Amino acid sequence: MTFSVDVTVRGYELDTQGHLNQAVYLQYAEHARWELLRAAGLPQEKLLADGVGPVQLEVTVKYRRELRGGERVRVTCRFDYGTGKTFTMEQQILKEDGTVAAEITGVAGVLDLAGRRLVPDPQGRLAALAGNPDLLTG
């Protein structure tokens, strides 16, 4: 399942050319990831109470189309798990007409905050805590 949130590009997020600042694409992606976790029943305080937190280990952004102030976009997010300590994230920022403005891919994990190590089964750990674990699988 691909989760999504809608965002309106704000004027203060623009660069000197009037385009969405490159760093803000990463903020939109981060927002979508946290909203996905929240919708699955994993707000930050619940994760912290369990002694874990999501960590981003790698990120790649491919800028496809410019975004300007006032445009509404949809930011998608999907987690794809393998068998190890990490998983991949696939995200897109889509214009209202469906045009892909950016593709964001990354590698993430779930950090044991006490031991400062990745948990061995991130999907299982998140699913065990989640109220709606189906949202966490791609």
Side-chain angles (χ1 to χ4, degrees):
M1 174 178 193
T2 301
F3 180 83
S4 67
V5 295
D6 293 336
V7 178
T8 300
V9 176
R10 295 165 287 251
Y12 62 82
E13 297 172 327
L14 305 179
D15 62 18
T16 57
Q17 290 83 31
H19 306 138
L20 185 66
N21 179 283
Q22 54 89 22
V24 180
Y25 286 84
L26 294 173
Q27 292 172 346
Y28 286 4
E30 179 88 2
H31 173 64
R33 291 191 299 273
W34 277 108
E35 286 300 300
L36 168 54
L37 290 170
R38 189 186 59 74
L42 296 171
Q44 188 175 22
E45 55 273 3
K46 185 172 187 177
L47 293 167
L48 290 174
D50 192 62
V52 297
V55 291
Q56 183 103 7
L57 304 168
E58 177 184 312
V59 66
T60 301
V61 181
K62 293 180 182 175
Y63 303 98
R64 301 293 186 199
R65 295 288 183 273
E66 67 185 12
L67 293 173
R68 296 191 170 272
E71 285 192 81
R72 289 193 50 79
V73 296
R74 176 157 288 163
V75 186
T76 67
C77 185
R78 188 180 75 238
F79 297 164
D80 291 317
Y81 302 94
T83 57
K85 294 179 181 182
T86 63
F87 57 95
T88 60
M89 296 175 306
E90 300 290 333
Q91 296 186 263
Q92 290 186 323
I93 299 177
L94 304 166
K95 293 173 153 256
E96 283 189 300
D97 67 2
T99 301
V100 177
E103 297 171 335
I104 300 148
T105 57
V107 177
V110 176
L111 186 68
D112 176 321
L113 298 174
R116 308 309 289 179
R117 299 279 184 251
L118 294 177
V119 301
D121 178 15
Q123 181 179 14
R125 185 70 174 263
L126 293 175
L129 293 171
N132 188 359
D134 291 343
L135 288 177
L136 300 170
T137 58

